[in-house]
């Protein structure tokens, strides 16, 4: 069991003179405050803050950070107040502990809303002091190391959040070692069967090649010594998550994953890095297209290294990473590798670039009110910049993989994005959805009368572009919806001899706005135009006495969005329902065919009830331009119910492949509703199938089983895209989904 003295010994190794008294006082307060509390494992809760403090000490952070690690849960889980912390430890520690503390003392409409506000608060605190995020990462790392003690649903939720937010955050801060461990632990708990299969396969391969690994390491050392390069050579097996991603990206089975081994060559100087590269390429045959120079062109997180893949004896492929000791420290510890203070603050000259992206995230999401949209933007902004492009003036811009000229246009300026009509890549006209490649020179063509297209939302990658496009479309559609709403409401009011203009002048709607779910009269009119509110229902709210006099019974009281939808759609759904209601017309979207266990989003359509999409559906991005048409839905507990899913399987064009795959599906007790196979010219084949499954767990097991069939290179659920319909005018018919 970890002891407090172990932490002190670790701190003494890198910080001979430190405030030991403050750490002891922090330990005593933490032990006293958490007294009697237990973790899910049954251990005393104090074990957790001790381990968080040790992780921070191993990162060589200062005593203030380590004290924060010891105290990071006292505000959330004990009666200790911020004022008490400030009194005992000063403003600095109190600020850091408060920044790490989750927001849990207020009522939120959803889990996403609480999660979004917690991250927003943490980012605000981090831009003032980067140590907030470092303590939070250490907290999450220890929680992931002990995640097996939580119930499975909670394990999956924490692992998914870690993989989507915390691991990319560690990567953007350059903390490679922590990023790798967070990814592998998330992999283990999110996809346990797949993790076990890959782990077993790699273990078996390493048993057979351990001698080869040591032989290559010795040869590398000897080659460097013979060339006069002072080098430290180490070998390791690549991380499981990175190998899993490579299997998916390259659509290859496990037995075709060759470069499992990676060797690191640490040299003394930048010049020796390139000399060592020459030594490697002389001794082994390099793999074309696999050399990357991150020294001349560092990654966005300031990572620097030379990467090359080579092939040795017996077709043994391996990767070699070459870097200096300073580069290696930055690669492993990131921002913590250059932890220096000037008047109590981190030296801005060293890590301003790393902190700048956090400020950019806050800036681009400042106006994003919808929690799910905020979290989506946060995840997008945390993706590593991997594509380097050039403007006509030679300026370098980094983008996530898959970024397009539209992303580039909005990066330059919002007006350039709004007026974008075309793009030239390397002097050649290309479609706006063309993915950018390393080294592309981009020129944006604009027109003063151009406007953003809703279709752009299906291919833009950066959150800045997406938020700007959504804001423009929402504004334009809202203006039109207000006019439509006025005409529809005017038509309904005429039945009782009333005029809308007079009601607007007398502000007759104001007392009922909150009950109708609107902040202003324009919002109310827009809701009518969008189809969220029925004009007759609004008139009933304004003049209830007349309606009651003409009705046999008192109409049902309703308020808010759900009440309105109940008024419009008095039917039940199967398998899924609107939260808090069980009598609404609900339909599973055909484009993504969600199954129980999927994260789902409800979207209010015109005339067809609530359409339910999987959150991973490609159409969600364009459908939810107006967050007001989103409604919370949840899966019901249904037994003996089957759901259909579409699946696409890529295989080698072998004899009997279709029979083997159908047998696996049959053995998994799934029914095949339809199946089609076609051979490709490149010697591969594509099989598309519509299957039945009771839930997501069963589907995941089926995907793993199919992926294990020899000759299968990739298997995935198939989602279908469609062009969302635009806002109709009065009397217009309804399209496939509006």
């Amino acid at each position: 069991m970890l002891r407090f003295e172990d932490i002190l010994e670790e701190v003494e190794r890198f910080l001979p003179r430190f405030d030991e008294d403050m750490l002891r006082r922090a330990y005593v307060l933490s032990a006293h405050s958490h007294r009697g509390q237990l973790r899910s494992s049954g251990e005393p809760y104090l074990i957790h803050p001790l381990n968080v403090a040790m992780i921070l000490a191993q990162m060589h952070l200062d005593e203030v950070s380590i004290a924060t690690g010891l105290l990071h849960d006292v505000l959330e889980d004990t009666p200790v107040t911020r004022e008490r912390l400030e009194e005992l430890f000063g403003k600095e520690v109190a600020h850091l502990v408060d920044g790490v503390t989750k927001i849990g003392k207020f009522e939120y409409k959803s889990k996403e809303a609480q999660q979004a506000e917690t991250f927003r608060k943490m980012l605000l605190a981090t831009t003032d002091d980067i140590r907030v995020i470092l303590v939070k990462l250490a907290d999450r790392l220890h929680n992931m190391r002990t995640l097996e003690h939580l119930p499975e649903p909670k394990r999956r939720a924490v692992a998914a959040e870690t993989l989507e937010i915390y691991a990319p955050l560690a990567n953007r801060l350059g903390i490679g070692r922590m990023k790798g461990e967070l990814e592998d632990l998330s992999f283990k708990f999110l996809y346990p069967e797949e993790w076990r299969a890959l782990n077993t396969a790699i273990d078996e391969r390493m048993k057979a090649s351990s001698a080869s690994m040591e032989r290559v390491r010795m040869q590398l050392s000897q080659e460097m010594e013979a060339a006069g390069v002072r080098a430290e050579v180490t070998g390791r097996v690549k991380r499981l998550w990175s190998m899993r991603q490579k299997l998916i990206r390259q659509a290859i089975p496990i037995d075709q994953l060759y470069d499992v081994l990676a060797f690191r060559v640490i040299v003394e100087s930048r010049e020796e890095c390139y000399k060592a590269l020459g030594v490697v390429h002389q001794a082994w045959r390099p793999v074309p297209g696999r050399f990357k120079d991150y020294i001349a062109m560092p990654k966005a997180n300031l990572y620097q290294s030379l990467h090359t893949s080579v092939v040795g004896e017996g077709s043994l492929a391996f990767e070699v990473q070459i870097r200096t000791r300073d580069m290696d420290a930055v690669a492993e510890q990131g921002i913590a590798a250059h932890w220096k203070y000037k008047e109590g603050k981190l030296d801005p000259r060293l890590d301003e670039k790393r902190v700048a992206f956090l400020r950019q995230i806050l800036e681009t999401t400042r106006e994003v009110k919808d929690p799910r949209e905020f979290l989506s933007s946060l995840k997008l902004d945390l993706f590593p910049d991997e594509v380097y492009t050039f403007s006509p003036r030679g300026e370098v811009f980094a983008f996530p993989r898959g970024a397009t000229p539209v992303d580039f246009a909005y990066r330059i300026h919002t007006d350039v994005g709004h007026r974008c009509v075309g793009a030239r890549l390397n002097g050649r006209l290309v479609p706006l959805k063309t993915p950018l490649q390393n080294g592309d020179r981009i020129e944006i063509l604009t027109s003063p009368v151009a406007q953003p297209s809703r279709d752009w939302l299906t291919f833009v990658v950066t959150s800045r572009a997406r938020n700007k496009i959504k804001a423009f479309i929402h504004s334009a559609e809202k203006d039109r919806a207000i006019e439509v709403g006025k005409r529809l409401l005017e038509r309904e009011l005429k039945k009782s001899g009333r005029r809308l203009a007079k009601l607007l002048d007398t502000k007759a709607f104001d007392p009922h706005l909150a009950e109708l779910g609107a902040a202003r009269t324009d919002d109310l009119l827009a809701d009518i135009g969008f189809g969220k509110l029925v004009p007759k229902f609004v008139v009933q709210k304004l003049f209830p006495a007349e309606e009651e006099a003409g009705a046999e019974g008192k109409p049902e009281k309703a308020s808010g969005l759900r009440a309105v939808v109940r008024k419009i759609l008095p039917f039940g759904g199967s398998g899924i329902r609107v939260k808090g209601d069980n009598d609404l017309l609900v339909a599973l979207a055909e484009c993504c065919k969600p199954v129980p266990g999927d994260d789902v989003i409800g979207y209010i359509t015109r005339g067809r009830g609530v359409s339910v999409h999987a959150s991973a559906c490609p159409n969600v991005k364009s459908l939810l331009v107006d967050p007001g048409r989103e409604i919370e839905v949840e899966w019901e507990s249904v037994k003996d119910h089957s759901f259909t899913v579409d699946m696409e399987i890529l295989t080698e064009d072998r004899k009997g492949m279709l029979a083997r795959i159908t047998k696996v599906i049959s053995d998994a007790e799934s029914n095949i509703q339809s199946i089609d196979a076609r051979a490709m010219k490149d010697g591969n084949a594509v099989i598309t199938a519509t299957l039945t499954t009771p839930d997501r767990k069963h589907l995941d097991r089926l995907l793993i089983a199919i992926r294990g069939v020899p000759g299968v290179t990739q298997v995935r659920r198939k989602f279908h895209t469609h062009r969302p319909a635009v806002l109709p005018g009065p009397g217009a018919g309804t399209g496939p989904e509006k």
Side-chain angles (χ1 to χ4, degrees), residues 458-504:
T458 62
F459 58 77
V460 293
V461 170
T462 59
S463 62
R464 175 180 173 83
R466 177 166 290 113
N467 291 337
K468 295 294 184 183
I469 295 166
K470 283 188 173 184
F472 184 93
I473 293 174
H474 175 65
S475 176
E477 288 197 348
K478 184 175 181 179
D479 290 344
R480 185 178 175 188
I482 290 172
E483 294 303 315
V484 172
K486 284 181 178 179
R487 292 199 294 270
L488 292 174
L489 190 56
E490 183 77 64
R491 185 184 302 171
E492 184 64 30
L493 287 167
K494 280 183 179 179
K495 295 177 182 179
S496 56
R498 295 183 176 87
R499 292 178 60 248
L500 176 61
K502 184 176 180 180
L503 294 175
L504 292 175

Side-chain angles (χ1 to χ4, degrees), residues 220 223-231 265 267-283 291 293 295 306 308 320 322-324:
L220 257 174
E223 294 286 350
M224 294 297 163
E225 186 177 353
V229 178
R230 292 174 297 171
V265 180
V267 297
E268 298 299 325
S269 67
R270 183 188 183 107
E271 292 73 18
E272 285 187 327
C273 288
Y274 293 96
K275 187 175 180 180
L277 177 67
V279 173
V280 172
H281 284 178
Q282 284 179 354
F291 168 65
D293 187 347
I295 294 179
L306 298 178
T308 185
V320 180
I322 306 169
R323 60 183 74 148
T324 66

Side-chain angles (χ1 to χ4, degrees), residues 300-331:
N301 60 8
L302 306 187
Y303 174 91
Q304 288 185 291
S305 185
L306 298 178
H307 289 196
T308 185
S309 293
V310 297
V311 180
E313 296 179 7
S315 298
L316 177 66
F318 56 91
E319 184 182 65
V320 180
Q321 301 173 358
I322 306 169
R323 60 183 74 148
T324 66
R325 294 190 185 280
D326 284 346
M327 293 176 189
D328 187 57
V330 171

